[in-house]
Each structure stands twice: as structure tokens, then as C-alpha cells.
Amino acid sequence: MKKKSTRVLLTTLVCVVCVALIAVVIAIFYKFIYSPPADEDLLEKYGIEEINAEEYFQENSEIVAKIPVEDSKTINNEKEALNNYADRGFSECTILTNYDIDGNFGETAEITGSSEKHPYYETIFVTSNNELWNIMEVNGTIIANPLSYNEQSTRGAPLLVTEADTVTSYDNKANVFYETIPNENEVIVITVERIDAETLENLTVEEIDKL
Amino acid sequence: MMNKKSIRLFSRILSLILVFLMYVSIFPVPVSTKAANTSSDRVIVGLGDSFSSGEGIEPFYDQDLPIEQRIKSQDWLAHRSEKAWSGLLTLNDNEKKVCYIMNQNKYDEQHPEYETHWYFAATSGAETIHLYSEQGKKYHLEVNGKAYKGSENIAKQLEIFETVKKNNQKADYVTLTLGGNDVGFTEVIISIAKTSFYVTPYKSTQIFREKLTMLEMATVKSLELAYRKIHETAGTQASIIVAGYPHLFNPTVNISSSSPTGLLINLRERLAVNNCVDILNNQIQSIVEKLQKENIDIHYVSVVKEFAGHGAYSLYPYINPIHLFPKDQDIKQIGDFPNPSAYSIHPNEKGAEAYARCVQAKIDELEKQKYPDKFPENVPSQTNPPQTTVIFTQPPPLTSPQPTNNWQSAAIDLICNAPDYGLELTDVNMSAELIDVTGDYIPEIFFCTGIGATSIPSISGYFYYNGSKYVKGTMSGNNGYFPILPYKSGNQTIFLTGFRNPEDIPDEIPGFSSYWHSYITTCQLSCSGSNINFTVVADYSEYRDELIGFYSEDEEEIAQAEQMWDSYCEEIEDFYYTHPIDPNCYYVFLNNVTLTTCSTEAYKAAFIPFDVQEAVNQYATYS
């Protein structure tokens, strides 16, 4: 009887050890050997063409400057970005970002005013006559995308409003900024002295059409 | 003589066989066999998401109720449209000789005693899980200065089959679109729309990547489970028809003074969205094919071709544009911006009709398979005219030659009495000129149709639809479809239109493209030798300068655009079409006929060549 119960105990112990070993092997496999399909693989698998930003800007603009994010002196941290937006009359707006300083794209998140830096911020501004703008801060510069205007526009290219002659774009893959003068058949640029709530209130769809 | 060992072996084998038979009788091997629908009612159950509910196509059921009742209405919260495509479907009851149009026979829980042939449970925003779990609908709107905020649960969609059963009915067909919300197409598009491609060129592909991951991991499995559940719940007599999704955007930017160009979505982004739609459609189709191999009565219908050339921001869109602000009937009108309308990037009324055409074609095909005796492949040609006389209720004004035999009369009768056959003709200024091209008596009638798009202004002698209901032949050639397709086949009905005397036809034969059909000025038909020639005259001159003007203000660029434009016109102007005259067919040419509605079965009964005899036997009045 004693011999039998010892045999059973030993068998059970061996089984448990085997299961544990298998679990460890699987864990090691997933942690160190298996890698999920790379992001590029999925796009390639499904035939979705990913743009090459450098080629795109070369073909569709005059590139004025190409600035690696790490070299930029004008990127705002969250607190500075909040102040920048507030100074311009966008204090009621929720400021969001998708990118960390290394260019990783993630879920849209509301910024909190920390000292963390992000290369890109954005917010939605609604004017008193219900026109929608997307206000972006890229490398510290403000660009406004007139969504309501572009929604109904019959032009051949979308409009952007800037404070300078150039448009700053963000390539998060290479983690660089491009300062460009876009070709007009790609983007139509309207330059204003300052992008703030007051300016955008006056820059209605009808006013833009007159420009 | 068998020895003991053999006997023992034999008896063991016998006992094993007996045990197996006993097992099978207690636990029968499940075999998915198609049970005939013994119910005499013809029933379609419409399930699915916003593409099936008719999101964006007003009026929605119960939208005219006072707000306090509206926010309690499942139909309104689900944005079930009175013009949803599954309501446009028809089913024939061959015994009662009736054709049911679904949205005229919708189940009304307030009046369960009413005759019902359509149960509508599709819900805007539904994901696969909402087939078997409730879908919460949050509303927040302001009406007459008063805010209404809350939420209601929409019943599990599969629960509709309990209602079907309670009414002692069984579904003949279950239609649906599903999966788009699981992947999150609308959300993707709105995310992309509010960003600037030029400022963040990788953002849209990064968003797509997320969705593709979801598609790979979750949506495929949940769709398969969903279809199985539907099959289980609806019963084996039901044919499940899964419709795919259309390409949402036109792959080109169309500049027009009258419609937005769609600048919120960059061209590359449009192509990527359409690509994602293809991926989802392929996945759906694969799942359907897998289930078909298990003998499940399920079918996939693609709508891509039907929508080709009619994406959002095309010149003749079947899909709503993006609306950045909510519409009056949106259930969430108050919220953080962006708060776009749920109508955005959903099929419009024309889109719903396009869906209905595709799914109806599949239903018709399945009906023929299920009830082959009602759809004979061949009607033997008759060499002698019938002796009966057909009485016309509305004789047409005819020019010579007058009908010379009863079959010709029967053809005119069918046209004149079209409403009785489910055709509604409006603005008719009909002068049907009969051209007996062969001089012989012909038992079959061959009609060729014209345009399949929206109304063409200032066209004489043209056949077009009022609104956008039309009969389309097969697609061939360019993107979109050709409006004129003289085509004879068992499943197609085509009208010849706009005839002229051969002397009126100019020497040159300009052509057309479906894309530029709005510029078509005349359509000409002629018979020459053994062919019927179709030619279309298009005049683009009025629009040419306007369109080129949008291109650029640069002289050089304008010159280039002009050259491109002219060479394009040259290309399409070479088009013409000839069709050999079939000596076994009788050709009827009609002028200025507008077809508005069509009950497919009655229409086919009236006009499909091999059904003519049956249609006359059934519908004509004899003396």
C-alpha cells in the first residue's frame, strides 16, 4: 500500500514538473524568440503603400530645412504648449498628442502640463459661427487647418493657415521636421500675422474664399 | 462450418455494429441539410450595421414622433431608414401571384396583426457582438431649448427571430453587412479627416496599421461566429446573404464648381481606405466560402463594382461626404468636438439602391435554384400565333406600322399596362414605334435599356430614370458602367431607347464614358445591315473651360491640361457600340419613357424574353 501511494505521488510530481517545464519553454519562446509581425509587414501584406516622406516633400514642395527632433531648440514641453495655446485664446480647448519625443506613435492622449516634450500637439477649435479648425503645434510653430473650409471647398488642394511662408511638417518615422514651401497643387497656404482665436473668428469660410 | 473462434469473432463484430447503430439513433450525426421553407409567407430579415440600417438616409422610422417618444424608439435610435436597402428587396409569392416589396410589409410591433414580410433589426454602429448582446445607444440632443440626454438599449439583433417565430413565420432570407464597425472604418476616416496629411504624412498609415491588427486578431473570428449564430437561429431554411462594403472614396479628385472636392481626405489616404475595405471584404468572402463548404446556406455579395465611380466626393456619389457637424436627426448632437454626423461616409439613397440591386440579383438567382419550376430556362418558340385576342386597357398612340399579330400586340400591352406589372411610368410621352426588323413574327421580345444614372438634362429621345432607380446591364470597359447595354440574357432586361431615322444620324460617331454621361446630349440608334448601332453624342464644350479653369492659373499648366483634356475626349469619342440583330427577337423602340420603380419579379415576368408568354398568359385580359 505504502509502495503504491509513493508511486502515485512520484508520478504526480513528475507530471507537475513536466507541465511547468513546458510553460517555461513557451514563455521563453514568446519573450525571446517569437516576434509579432512588424508594423511594416502588415501594411505590406495588405498592399497599403506607405509614403516616403522625404520623397514626398521633394516632389511636392521646396524643402527649406530638415531638422532632426533631437537637434531642435524650439520644441515645447506640455506646459509650454498649453501656455502657447492659451496665449492665443485656445485655453478652453483640449490639447492632444499622439507622439512621444522619440517619434513613437500611440493613442491620442490629452496633455497634462508636464515637462515632457512632444514634437506635435493639436486641438480642435470651434468658432462662434460653428466653423471647425484643427490647430497644430509642430516644433513650436502653429499651423491651422480650416476643417470647415476644406470640407466644402471645391478647390483642387486643401488650405492651411500659417504664420510664416513655410509649413513645418513632422516625419515621425525618421523623427525629423521638414520646413517646406508646398507646391500649390498640393497645399494652398494662407499666411496671417498671428494664429489666434480672434484671427480665426474673422477668417470665415466666406472670407477665405475671397482670398 | 464455422468454428468457435470464428463465431465468437463474428458475434463481436455484430455487437459492435449494433452498438454503433444504437449510438447513432440516440445521438444523430449532425448534418446541415437545407430544409424547405414550408411557410407560405415570404420573409426577409434585415440584420447588420449602419450600412444595412440605412444610416444617413432620411427619413428614419419614427423620426416624426415627439422627442420624448423618439428617444424611446428602437427604430429611431438605431437609425433604421425607410429607404434602407433591405426594405427595397422584393420576394415573389408565385402561388398568390404577388410580389412583396419589403418596406411595404415591415413588422410593426404596434400592429402585430398586420401582414409582415420584413423584419428589420439592423442598427447603426452595430458590431458583431450586437447580434447576441444589447447595444447601448447614448443620445444627447437639444430640442426646443430642452436638453435630452440618456441611453437606451437596442435589443439583441438575433432576438428578432423569436418575433418571426411568434408570428408563425420563418425567414427565407437573412441579409446583412457586418464587420465595418469592428474594424472601425468610420472612426478611422474621421481621425484622418481632422489631420493634415501634409503636416503629418505618416499619421494615416499608422492609424490603418492599428485597424489592420484588429482585423487580423479579432474581427475575422467574431464574424465567423456571427454567421454561424445567424444560421443556428434563423433556421436551415434561411439563405444568409452577406453583402460586402463598397470603396468609400473615389480614387480621383474631381473638381467641380458644384460639389466639394473632398479635401479632408488626401488621395493617398483614399486609396488606402479603399484598400482596407478590400481587405475586409476578402476576409468576409473567405469566411463565407469556408462556411459554404460546411453546407451552410450562406452567400457573399460584392457591391464594389456597383459603387465603382460613385464613391464619396465623386461627381455622382452614392456615399455621403464627411459632415463635420451633427445633423438634425443625429442622436448625439451635443458633445466634444469633433462631433461629426453619423451620416458621414455612409451610402446615400442611391447607394442603398445600389446595394438593393446587388442583393436582389442574388436573391433572384437563389429563387431560381430553389423553385426551378417557376423559372423555366427555355420557352419553346412558337411558330403559330395564339388564337386569343388581347384587350388593351390603354392603347398607345402608334405610328405605322401597326401591330400585325398578337405577339406584337402583347408586347405593346405589356408596356402600356406596366403599372400592373409593377412598373411605374411617369412623364410618359410614349410613341412606341415598332420596327419589325426581320418582317417575321417573333415570339420573344428583346428590350434594350438606356441610361443607368441620374437624370440627364435636355436629352430627347432618351430613356432615363427619375431619381436613380434604373436597370443596369453588365459592366464592361471603363470605370462605372455603360449606360447603354444591349444585352440579352436570362437575367437581364434592357431597353432600346431613342431611335432615330437612319438619315438623322451624323457621319461621325462620338462616344461617351460613364463618367461624362451628364454631358451626353443625344443618343442615336440605327439599324444597318444586321446590326443595331448605338451612338451617343456628347458635348463637353460648355464644361471644358470651367473644369480646366480649376486646374491652375499658370498658362503653361492650363495648356497642358487642355491637351490632356482634348486627348481624353478623343479617346472616348471613338466609342460606339454595335449589336448584331437577333433574328429571333423583336425590337421595340421607346421614346421619353421614365422608369421610376420596379418590382423586380413583375418586371422580369413582363420583360424577360422567355417569360413573355407566361406574363401574357397571366396578366393579359382575353376576349
Side-chain angles (χ1 to χ4, degrees), chain B residues 102-155:
Chain B
M102 292 301 120
N103 59 17
Q104 292 177 12
N105 297 277
K106 178 180 178 285
Y107 173 70
D108 182 351
E109 62 180 5
Q110 307 298 326
H111 296 280
E113 72 280 9
Y114 287 174
E115 187 173 340
T116 300
H117 296 279
W118 183 45
Y119 294 83
F120 193 22
T123 304
S124 181
E127 298 175 19
T128 50
I129 196 163
H130 297 123
L131 288 179
Y132 18 81
S133 63
E134 286 178 337
Q135 181 178 351
K137 277 289 189 181
K138 289 185 183 167
Y139 57 85
H140 191 184
L141 35 111
E142 194 177 289
V143 175
N144 297 327
K146 188 177 170 189
Y148 295 86
K149 186 177 178 183
S151 75
E152 289 285 331
N153 284 334
I154 305 290

Side-chain angles (χ1 to χ4, degrees), chain A residues 37-40 42-43 45-54 56-57 59-62 94 96 98-99 103 105-108 120 122 124 126 130-132 134 136 138 143 145-160 167-174 180-183 185-187, chain B residues 191-217 220 253-268 271-273 275-280 282-283 313 321-325 327 336-340 344 550-553 557:
Chain A
D39 287 344
E40 283 78 0
L42 265 184
L43 292 181
K45 179 180 173 186
Y46 289 115
I48 293 182
E49 199 187 317
E50 193 166 44
I51 194 173
N52 179 306
E54 175 129 31
Y56 170 73
F57 288 120
E59 282 167 18
N60 294 287
S61 72
E62 181 192 326
T94 307
L96 308 164
N98 283 100
Y99 301 98
F105 178 80
E107 262 193 55
T108 307
Y120 174 89
E122 65 176 358
I124 295 291
V126 188
N130 268 347
E131 288 181 12
L132 226 57
N134 186 19
M136 301 166 278
V138 191
I143 305 165
N145 182 2
L147 298 176
S148 292
Y149 180 80
N150 286 329
E151 178 194 15
Q152 56 81 55
S153 170
T154 56
R155 297 192 194 212
L159 216 85
L160 285 177
V167 175
T168 307
S169 302
Y170 176 52
D171 167 1
N172 75 296
K173 281 190 84 175
T180 62
I181 300 172
N183 293 347
N185 60 355
E186 195 64 20
V187 166
Chain B
S191 301
I192 293 168
K194 69 181 177 72
T195 57
S196 164
F197 178 85
Y198 193 86
V199 176
T200 48
Y202 285 115
K203 198 168 188 192
S204 45
T205 46
Q206 279 152 349
I207 294 170
F208 287 130
R209 189 176 287 132
E210 272 179 15
K211 295 304 168 187
L212 286 175
T213 312
M214 276 176 58
L215 178 67
E216 287 240 304
M217 287 168 50
V220 169
V253 172
N254 301 298
I255 301 167
S256 152
S257 61
S258 56
S259 52
T261 326
L263 298 171
L264 293 177
I265 305 279
N266 179 277
L267 200 60
R268 289 166 190 80
L271 293 173
V273 167
N275 215 338
C276 283
V277 167
D278 282 337
I279 294 161
L280 177 60
N282 290 339
Q283 297 281 21
Y313 305 108
I322 294 170
H323 297 290
L324 288 173
F325 285 91
K327 297 282 188 186
D336 288 337
F337 285 104
N339 184 22
S344 303
F550 277 103
Y551 227 82
S552 171
E553 284 173 5
E557 284 182 6

Side-chain angles (χ1 to χ4, degrees), chain B residues 66-170:
Chain B
I67 184 64
E68 289 82 4
Q69 292 173 40
R70 210 188 314 159
I71 54 179
K72 300 290 176 200
S73 160
Q74 297 255 310
D75 277 347
W76 183 76
L77 288 168
H79 268 196
R80 291 174 189 145
S81 170
E82 294 182 20
K83 297 179 183 179
W85 62 262
S86 72
L88 301 177
L89 299 173
T90 63
L91 271 185
N92 227 21
D93 188 325
N94 293 306
E95 281 167 22
K96 294 180 185 170
K97 289 192 174 53
V98 173
C99 181
Y100 300 116
I101 302 175
M102 292 301 120
N103 59 17
Q104 292 177 12
N105 297 277
K106 178 180 178 285
Y107 173 70
D108 182 351
E109 62 180 5
Q110 307 298 326
H111 296 280
E113 72 280 9
Y114 287 174
E115 187 173 340
T116 300
H117 296 279
W118 183 45
Y119 294 83
F120 193 22
T123 304
S124 181
E127 298 175 19
T128 50
I129 196 163
H130 297 123
L131 288 179
Y132 18 81
S133 63
E134 286 178 337
Q135 181 178 351
K137 277 289 189 181
K138 289 185 183 167
Y139 57 85
H140 191 184
L141 35 111
E142 194 177 289
V143 175
N144 297 327
K146 188 177 170 189
Y148 295 86
K149 186 177 178 183
S151 75
E152 289 285 331
N153 284 334
I154 305 290
K156 306 170 198 177
Q157 290 196 22
L158 290 181
E159 269 182 11
I160 199 75
F161 290 103
E162 288 168 25
T163 311
V164 175
K165 196 175 171 186
K166 220 163 57 170
N167 290 350
N168 293 319
Q169 290 181 307
K170 288 182 185 174

Side-chain angles (χ1 to χ4, degrees), chain B residues 382-386 405-408 436 438-443 583 586:
Chain B
Q382 201 163 336
T383 51
N384 297 312
N405 57 56
N406 284 328
W407 277 108
Q408 293 174 6
D436 186 350
T438 65
D440 295 330
Y441 159 74
I442 306 295
Y586 186 90

